[in-house]
Amino acid sequence: MASTVRLIRSAELSDAQYAYASIVESGARLIFLAGACPLERDGRTAAVGDYAGQAAKCVETLTEALRAAGATISDVVSTRVLVASSQRSDLSVAWQVVRKAFGDHDVPSTLMGVTVLGYEGQLVEIEAVAAVRD
């Protein structure tokens, strides 16, 4: 089945590691996901102190939330990756994990350093919007 999401690029913009825009084809159902946090099933924060480990857990959480909504990573339209740090190197560590998980489906994304996230010891969170055909 053809994807509902079409990624848009422009030769007039820098060669980023993500598409600059995405289009959702008509007739699609939009899925707005809560921020995927690095939490274990018992509520404990996973991989405390480890940006890569928390990013991986967030991807795992995001993937399960998508599955529960009848979608996959290839149905994601856009993401926002939040990293509790003012150091670009920490943001880069988290970003590389997320980028690898999305592979060729390099959706429009925003990577942001923030002061603090909601859970004790939380360093990374991933927000996403997806679209699927019913």
Side-chain angles (χ1 to χ4, degrees):
M1 175 167 60
S3 177
T4 302
V5 180
R6 186 166 42 120
L7 301 179
I8 306 300
R9 300 170 201 305
S10 173
E12 301 302 315
L13 299 171
S14 72
D15 186 22
Q17 294 183 7
Y18 48 84
Y20 275 95
S22 60
I23 295 173
V24 175
E25 301 300 332
S26 65
R29 176 172 45 96
L30 294 178
I31 302 166
F32 297 88
L33 293 109
C37 299
L39 299 178
E40 300 291 358
R41 285 189 69 162
D42 65 5
R44 290 180 299 115
T45 301
V48 173
D50 178 0
Y51 288 95
Q54 285 201 4
K57 184 63 177 177
C58 288
V59 167
E60 181 182 311
T61 300
L62 176 68
T63 301
E64 174 54 27
L66 286 163
R67 187 205 61 73
T72 68
I73 274 188
S74 65
D75 297 313
V76 172
V77 175
S78 67
T79 67
R80 181 176 299 129
V81 180
L82 309 170
V83 182
S85 178
S86 61
Q87 300 299 310
R88 282 191 179 99
S89 59
D90 296 333
L91 276 69
S92 179
V93 166
W95 174 249
Q96 293 310 314
V97 171
V98 175
R99 256 315 278 125
K100 183 176 181 183
F102 275 79
D104 290 338
H105 189 65
D106 55 347
V107 298
S109 297
T110 299
L111 175 62
M112 297 173 55
V114 298
T115 304
V116 67
L117 290 166
Y119 292 98
E120 186 71 33
Q122 182 182 0
L123 300 173
V124 181
E125 187 164 333
I126 305 170
E127 298 176 1
V129 176
V132 295
R133 271 195 224 307
D134 285 327

